[in-house]
Amino acid sequence: MFWKFDLHTTSHIDTLLEKEDVTLTEVMDEDDVLQECKAQNHKLVDFLLRPQCMEDLVTFITLEPSTDVEEKVKYKYPNISCELLTSDVGQINDRLGEDEKLLMKLYGFLQNEPPLNPLLASFFSKVLSILIGRKPEQIVEFLRKQEDFVDLMIKHIGTSAIMDLLLRMLTCIEPQQLRQDVLNWLNEEKVIQRLVDMVQPSQDEDRHSNASQSLCEIIRLSRDQMFQVQGSSEPDPLLATLEKQETVEQLLSNIFDKEKNESAIVSVIQILLTLFETRRPAFEGHMDCPPGMSHPSFSVNHSILEAVRPRLKDFHQLLLEPPKANVMKTTWGVLDPPVGNTRLNVVRLVASLLQSNTHSINTELINLNTLGVILDMYFKYIWNNFLHIQVEICTAMILAMPPAPTDIQPDTEQENARESILIKHLFQKCQFIQRIVDAWSSNEKEQAEGGRRRGYMGHLTRIANSIVHNCDKGPNGPQIQQLISELPAEDREKWESFISGQLSDTNKRNTIDLAFSDYQMQQMTSNFIEQFGFNDEEFADQDDVVDIPFDRISDINFSLNTNESANIALFEARCKEKIQQFEDAGSDEEDIWDEKDVTFAPEAQRRPSSGSTDSEESTDSEEEDVKRDPFEASNPSTDDRMEVDTGCPNNPAGWSSTPPAPSNSETGWADFSNFTPVRPKDPLRCNSPVAMETSIETMDPLGVNAPMQPEDCDGWLAEEETASSEQRSITETVINGSMKETVSLTVDAKTETAVFKRFAKHIRTKKHYAALCNLLPVCSSPSICLGNIKMPHRRTKPVSRSG
């Protein structure tokens, strides 16, 4: 046995550590040092806890490697040292977190001049992060003692690993009170203001990106934490500082009062977009709040909007005059200038401002005609889908959201009160309807001349559908209908013709349910089975047959136009072509597929059988084809019989009990002569997976056996005998899962011939024969034994399913 051999190999580290002069690098050279450390090998852990070893490990991750070392092994020991220190071994965490000398050596890495080595910075950040998580009180106390800690963190904010460490301090500290103390301490150190100062043109792009990302993550983490800890009475000081009007004004001043810098502008817009987020935290599993329906807890702080409103003219100017960008050559033409990251983010900012649905913001956008400029960009840059989706969002929100509260004039009547100034501006000043129709016509003209379909057409279709939908069912439906009715007659007719013609046709092409093809295929398959083929599910385990509902297509009205008569004729012609090679012209051979009586032959008339398997039968088929026609029989009545093995253990009396001698002349017969006869009192077992029950009375089908007890026949449910001295009619029911199969036999007592009405016509292939054997277990009843059903070697022709 395997366990007799001791395959466990003793670690070489144990042997190595027994040496008195072993060094740390020798231990770190072992391949399994990390595995042994995580498994808390006592000898290894005790060795690593030595003061000199701990100091060397910290040195490896904080000291720049020598330039003389080969590059591929230059960071080998720093990497292994980091993994050993962060292997989460309690003794190592305790030693490192409680030894101030080691902490000072570790902290000294921050005191290096920028830029820091990014790989060593990641090692440093990883070690300090796990200490913050495992020893929060000791590490926070140590860091607060370092007066230059926040300065150094801001100084190195351009290194991503240092930014990650700052965020770790906000997420990894578990005690709520300790976390609140850390937030207050960082706020007192003005960490938010210092990060804001990093986002200005004088700094490099790495500082812009990391400072912006840090502020965005602080906003999201603080808001999520606010809802996770419902019992906290103290607000998050960092979030409160970020949402102050003066903080937002400082951010905007950094990018507008100095030279234009795309990196700084995009970074500030990213912060504003995060401040404007009104979504619920992801952990609650809720979707974004709908436009104009923000929950009070998630609504945009009014001070942020007041800080942004005076700067809308500057953002509008960025759409007209973005920072200088290089000419962009594309596969279809030259972009001079391209849309650029700045203008794309300004459009995103406008979409967020529209979602706030504030009257002062809406009014300012209308006065500046910002929406008109955005639409101009939409139709100019026909291949920029990033821009197209933002414009679609803007228009969809304008059409769907209710008017801002101050948009309602108290003097007007109630039915005319709820009018959106944005919709009015969009339809009148921006000529929204006319531009959609003109762009569509222009695209069709270009396509007719061989040009490409414009890239914004898909979004234009959805925008047009949004107008139609909101005109009928939206909250601003009456106003939209009124504005359309006020269009010039020519434009109104074009719009009505457009929505009933081109738009309707496009929607029909685009809204075909993808499940239609699956449904069509299923219908065709079902029709084919019903008309031409045998349904294999007939003999399948009914527990595995499941009717799959098509709920999604239950309401689809369509017609499947197929020429069934032509298909039937084509199928029959093809079958005749394939079958022709098996038919002998002028042969008098009887059709073996004709329905006829099935004979249960006594032993004297039985043909000898060999114990060959299906595989042997298929192997010898070629030789048999050469020697004889497999379908030619000297005695047709004998070939057509469905013969029964009289050696069945369920037939202890009546037929001969002498087993026939095997013969090698024929193959394909099953031999049951070796079965041990079962006494009438012995319970019989059936190996068939089909669930069987037995009726109270069991009759001998041939009238030669005495009645048997119910427990002696566990394969069949019931047998009914129709009174007749010469002919007996037997009906047997098989329970197969949730289905019942009824088998009818008419037995002539004189000729011992039974007409097998239900299944014989379906036995065309070995697959069907095997399925039938599963349904009618071999030797499960004294009345019927299908052990030696004759199975043809070839399939000659299909049989139409008629039952």
Side-chain angles (χ1 to χ4, degrees):
M1 291 298 180
F2 176 79
W3 51 82
K4 290 183 178 180
F5 304 96
D6 184 11
L7 300 180
H8 176 70
T9 57
T10 304
S11 174
H12 187 256
I13 289 182
D14 293 337
T15 306
L16 183 63
L17 292 174
E18 293 177 357
K19 295 170 54 178
E20 296 183 358
D21 56 346
V22 63
T23 63
L24 178 62
T25 54
E26 289 178 337
V27 174
M28 295 169 69
D29 286 334
E30 293 296 322
D31 295 335
D32 57 348
V33 61
L34 297 179
Q35 298 177 3
E36 292 295 322
C37 182
K38 292 179 180 180
Q40 300 192 18
N41 183 312
H42 295 298
K43 290 184 179 180
L44 177 59
V45 172
D46 291 341
F47 174 79
L48 295 177
L49 290 176
R50 295 177 183 178
Q52 187 59 45
C53 290
M54 291 295 295
E55 185 175 347
D56 291 344
L57 289 174
V58 174
T59 302
F60 276 127
I61 65 173
T62 56
L63 189 63
E64 190 76 25
S66 174
T67 55
D68 298 335
V69 182
E70 188 177 357
E71 189 66 29
K72 64 180 181 180
V73 296
K74 187 175 183 179
Y75 293 99
K76 173 185 176 181
Y77 295 131
N79 181 46
I80 297 176
S81 298
C82 175
E83 295 299 323
L84 291 172
L85 292 174
T86 59
S87 57
D88 209 11
V89 177
Q91 299 95 312
I92 296 178
N93 292 338
D94 294 341
R95 178 64 59 86
L96 188 57
E98 296 172 0
D99 191 330
E100 190 165 344
K101 180 181 178 182
L102 291 175
L103 289 177
M104 283 301 301
K105 190 173 188 64
L106 184 65
Y107 180 79
F109 178 76
L110 284 177
Q111 297 175 337
N112 294 326
E113 289 298 319
L116 297 176
N117 184 310
L119 189 56
L120 293 182
S122 67
F123 297 153
F124 164 80
S125 176
K126 186 176 182 180
V127 172
L128 198 55
S129 295
I130 197 171
L131 289 177
I132 291 174
R134 296 294 181 266
K135 315 288 289 185
E137 293 84 358
Q138 294 91 329
I139 300 303
V140 169
E141 181 181 0
F142 170 78
L143 294 177
R144 294 188 68 171
K145 292 179 181 178
Q146 315 306 316
E147 297 181 356
D148 59 346
F149 172 70
V150 175
D151 293 334
L152 293 175
M153 292 288 288
I154 300 300
K155 180 180 180 180
H156 297 298
I157 198 65
T159 303
S160 298
I162 304 303
M163 178 196 69
D164 294 338
L165 178 61
L166 177 62
L167 298 177
R168 285 279 185 176
M169 295 186 65
L170 304 177
T171 57
C172 291
I173 299 178
E174 280 300 325
Q176 179 59 29
Q177 186 56 47
L178 181 60
R179 181 180 182 275
Q180 191 67 35
D181 294 340
V182 171
L183 295 178
N184 292 332
W185 165 52
L186 293 176
N187 190 54
E188 292 171 0
E189 294 290 334
K190 299 187 181 301
V191 68
I192 297 298
Q193 291 86 339
R194 295 183 183 185
L195 287 172
V196 168
D197 289 340
M198 288 291 104
V199 188
Q200 55 180 324
S202 60
Q203 301 292 339
D204 57 54
E205 291 187 9
D206 290 337
R207 284 186 170 85
H208 293 163
S209 177
N210 289 345
S212 172
Q213 187 175 348
S214 298
L215 292 171
C216 292
E217 290 300 321
I218 289 173
I219 296 169
R220 295 190 180 102
L221 291 171
S222 299
R223 288 178 176 174
D224 289 349
Q225 186 71 18
M226 180 173 60
F227 290 96
Q228 286 177 352
V229 185
Q230 297 291 343
S232 178
S233 58
E234 299 184 54
D236 191 308
L238 298 182
L239 180 61
T241 302
L242 259 171
E243 291 180 340
K244 287 182 178 180
Q245 184 171 343
E246 53 266 27
T247 304
V248 179
E249 289 175 348
Q250 181 63 41
L251 274 172
L252 298 173
S253 176
N254 288 345
I255 59 174
F256 289 128
D257 295 343
K258 301 175 183 178
E259 60 177 339
K260 293 180 181 178
N261 182 282
E262 183 171 77
S263 174
I265 294 172
V266 171
S267 298
V268 169
I269 294 177
Q270 292 294 327
I271 299 171
L272 294 176
L273 290 174
T274 307
L275 287 171
F276 289 149
E277 285 180 357
T278 57
R279 64 179 179 86
R280 291 180 180 270
F283 64 85
E284 290 192 358
H286 295 288
M287 298 178 62
D288 294 355
C289 297
M293 301 293 290
S294 299
H295 188 278
S297 300
F298 302 93
S299 58
V300 179
N301 194 311
H302 184 70
S303 62
I304 302 174
L305 296 173
E306 286 300 313
V308 172
R309 186 180 59 82
R311 292 290 186 174
L312 286 178
K313 62 180 185 299
D314 297 311
F315 284 112
H316 179 82
Q317 193 63 27
L318 285 175
L319 294 175
L320 301 175
E321 298 178 3
K324 183 64 177 178
N326 296 328
V327 175
M328 181 178 294
K329 295 182 180 180
T330 66
T331 55
W332 67 273
V334 178
L335 294 176
D336 186 19
V339 174
N341 203 12
T342 297
R343 291 199 286 182
L344 181 60
N345 278 274
V346 170
V347 176
R348 293 180 60 195
L349 179 63
V350 171
S352 293
L353 290 170
L354 289 173
Q355 187 175 359
S356 68
N357 200 18
T358 306
H359 176 69
S360 59
I361 298 293
N362 295 345
T363 304
E364 190 68 21
L365 291 174
I366 291 173
N367 295 335
L368 294 170
N369 193 28
T370 303
L371 296 177
V373 174
I374 291 176
L375 285 177
D376 292 340
M377 293 173 58
Y378 178 92
F379 292 109
K380 177 180 179 180
Y381 297 97
I382 62 177
W383 300 109
N384 195 316
N385 290 148
F386 296 105
L387 172 65
H388 302 157
I389 186 61
Q390 295 302 323
V391 177
E392 181 188 340
I393 291 173
C394 291
T395 57
M397 283 191 297
I398 292 173
L399 294 170
M401 67 185 178
T406 50
D407 287 345
I408 302 176
Q409 296 79 15
D411 315 356
T412 59
E413 298 180 1
Q414 183 65 25
E415 58 272 14
N416 298 327
R418 299 189 60 80
E419 289 189 355
S420 170
I421 59 175
L422 287 172
I423 293 178
K424 185 177 181 180
H425 171 75
L426 194 64
F427 279 76
Q428 293 181 348
K429 177 71 174 178
C430 301
Q431 296 185 331
F432 196 35
I433 295 293
Q434 294 91 329
R435 300 194 71 171
I436 291 175
V437 175
D438 291 344
W440 198 287
S441 301
S442 177
N443 174 76
E444 288 185 339
K445 182 180 179 181
E446 286 187 11
Q447 283 190 276
E449 296 173 354
R452 291 184 178 181
R453 184 173 185 261
R454 294 178 180 178
Y456 57 64
M457 290 302 297
H459 294 283
L460 194 65
T461 302
R462 292 169 56 166
I463 291 173
N465 285 327
S466 179
I467 296 175
V468 175
H469 173 78
N470 284 283
C471 181
D472 296 337
K473 302 178 181 179
N476 303 302
Q479 182 184 5
I480 297 175
Q481 295 174 8
Q482 179 66 26
L483 290 171
I484 293 177
S485 66
E486 294 175 357
L487 292 173
E490 182 181 356
D491 294 336
R492 186 171 62 254
E493 291 176 1
K494 287 182 178 179
W495 171 252
E496 292 174 354
S497 174
F498 165 71
I499 61 177
S500 61
Q502 297 121 307
L503 183 62
S504 178
D505 294 340
T506 301
N507 289 335
K508 289 179 181 178
R509 291 194 301 267
N510 294 343
T511 57
I512 296 177
D513 199 317
L514 295 178
F516 174 79
S517 59
D518 296 335
Y519 178 80
Q520 183 180 17
M521 181 60 68
Q522 186 193 21
Q523 289 295 101
M524 295 176 64
T525 304
S526 177
N527 293 338
F528 177 84
I529 290 175
E530 291 180 2
Q531 296 178 23
F532 307 119
F534 172 73
N535 190 354
D536 289 336
E537 292 180 359
E538 180 111 30
F539 290 145
D541 186 353
Q542 297 301 321
D543 292 337
D544 297 333
V545 180
V546 181
D547 293 331
I548 303 175
F550 285 79
D551 296 336
R552 296 180 59 226
I553 57 176
S554 59
D555 297 331
I556 296 178
N557 296 322
F558 62 89
S559 59
L560 184 60
N561 297 322
T562 58
N563 189 349
E564 294 186 357
S565 59
N567 291 340
I568 294 174
L570 179 63
F571 178 81
E572 291 180 349
R574 186 61 175 168
C575 288
K576 290 180 180 179
E577 178 184 345
K578 290 295 184 182
I579 295 171
Q580 188 66 32
Q581 55 182 320
F582 298 112
E583 297 180 352
D584 296 329
S587 175
D588 296 333
E589 181 186 359
E590 229 177 301
D591 189 354
I592 68 170
W593 297 108
D594 286 344
E595 296 187 11
K596 58 177 65 66
D597 292 349
V598 182
T599 302
F600 287 80
E603 182 184 2
Q605 300 176 2
R606 285 184 63 242
R607 297 169 61 178
S609 64
S610 64
S612 63
T613 61
D614 290 343
S615 60
E616 294 171 350
E617 177 181 330
S618 61
T619 304
D620 299 334
S621 61
E622 295 182 2
E623 296 180 7
E624 293 177 4
D625 290 342
V626 176
K627 296 178 182 179
R628 57 181 178 83
D629 187 344
F631 298 107
E632 181 180 356
S634 59
N635 188 356
S637 63
T638 304
D639 281 346
D640 293 338
R641 294 177 181 177
M642 186 176 292
E643 303 187 22
V644 179
D645 187 354
T646 56
C648 173
N650 283 339
N651 183 27
W655 294 324
S656 174
S657 60
T658 304
S663 174
N664 294 329
S665 61
E666 293 182 14
T667 61
W669 288 64
D671 185 2
F672 298 94
S673 60
N674 293 329
F675 281 113
T676 304
V678 182
R679 295 189 301 274
K681 293 183 180 180
D682 291 342
L684 299 179
R685 291 186 59 84
C686 174
N687 294 328
S688 171
V690 183
M692 301 294 182
E693 296 180 4
T694 308
S695 65
I696 298 177
E697 296 183 0
T698 308
M699 301 301 294
D700 185 355
L702 301 181
V704 295
N705 291 331
M708 299 183 65
Q709 299 299 321
E711 59 270 14
D712 294 335
C713 181
D714 64 350
W716 299 93
L717 276 180
E719 299 177 357
E720 298 178 359
E721 180 177 0
T722 305
S724 175
S725 60
E726 297 181 355
Q727 189 177 44
R728 300 174 182 270
S729 177
I730 301 171
T731 300
E732 306 201 9
T733 304
V734 179
I735 289 184
N736 186 7
S738 61
M739 302 291 294
K740 290 187 177 181
E741 293 287 350
T742 302
V743 182
S744 297
L745 279 158
T746 302
V747 181
D748 192 329
K750 294 181 178 180
T751 63
E752 297 178 342
T753 302
V755 180
F756 201 69
K757 296 181 178 179
R758 180 64 180 89
F759 297 104
K761 63 183 178 181
H762 292 308
I763 307 175
R764 301 179 308 180
T765 66
K766 295 179 182 178
K767 179 180 178 183
H768 298 155
Y769 175 72
L772 178 60
C773 290
N774 285 336
L775 187 62
L776 304 179
V778 175
C779 303
S780 62
S781 170
S783 60
I784 295 177
C785 181
L786 299 178
N788 287 333
I789 295 178
K790 176 65 176 177
M791 180 62 208
H793 290 279
R794 299 188 196 175
R795 175 178 177 177
T796 58
K797 64 180 180 180
V799 179
S800 299
R801 180 184 176 188
S802 58

